Amino acid sequence: MTLPPTLLGSTTFVLHKVGVANRRAFAERLSARTGLGLWEFAVLATLADFGPAAQREVGDRLGLDPSDMVRLMDGLMDEGLARRERDPADRRRYRLSLSEAGREALGRARETLAETERETLAALTPDERAQLHTLVTRLLTR
C-alpha cells in the first residue's frame, strides 16, 4: 500500500489505519484462540476489572445499547463464561459476574491482546510504546 503524502501527513488518518489493522488482527486471533468476539472480550474485561455489576452498568461503561448487551450476555451465559445472580443489596436486581471459565477465557484473550500489540508496535522501543500509550490515552480520556 502506498498512501499519498496528504494522508500520511494526517495523524488521525494514520492512527485510524494502525487501529483498524490491529483490531482486525486481534479479532481474528481472539476468535480462533478463545471463540470470543471483541465485544464479548470487552464485557469480560469490564466484569473482571470492576467486579460484579448490573447489566445496564456494564453496558453504560462500554457505551453499548441495552439490546446489544442482552444479546452479548445471553451468549456469554450460554457459553458458561458469565453468570447472572440476584444482587444481595437489592433482591429485585441481578448482577453479572465472571465464571471460572470466563476468567480462563479472559486470561487467554489478554495474552492474545498482548501478543498482537507487541507485533503491531514492534517498530517502537519500549519507551516509545509507553509514550504512545500515554498520549493516546490522554486523547481518549480528555
Side-chain angles (χ1 to χ4, degrees), residues 21-97:
N22 187 67
R23 180 183 172 115
R24 184 176 297 124
F26 177 54
E28 289 171 2
R29 289 177 184 177
L30 183 66
S31 178
R33 295 177 185 176
T34 68
L36 296 173
L38 293 170
W39 284 112
E40 293 163 325
F41 166 69
V43 169
L44 294 180
T46 301
L47 291 173
D49 290 349
F50 295 105
Q55 188 164 300
R56 178 171 292 283
E57 181 182 345
V58 174
D60 288 348
R61 285 185 182 279
L62 295 171
L64 287 171
D65 183 84
S67 62
D68 291 331
M69 253 322 280
V70 168
R71 181 184 51 77
L72 282 167
M73 286 312 304
D74 286 348
L76 289 170
M77 286 187 292
D78 288 348
E79 294 296 321
L81 302 175
R83 2 176 230 274
R84 185 180 285 136
E85 42 200 33
R86 291 271 183 202
D87 185 339
D90 182 349
R91 302 289 297 160
R92 296 169 295 175
R93 290 181 7 152
Y94 285 92
R95 290 187 323 172
L96 307 172
S97 62

Side-chain angles (χ1 to χ4, degrees), residues 108-123:
R108 291 189 310 276
R110 285 176 170 156
E111 290 169 6
T112 302
L113 177 60
E115 174 188 304
T116 305
E117 284 190 356
R118 272 192 307 275
E119 290 176 13
T120 299
L121 302 175

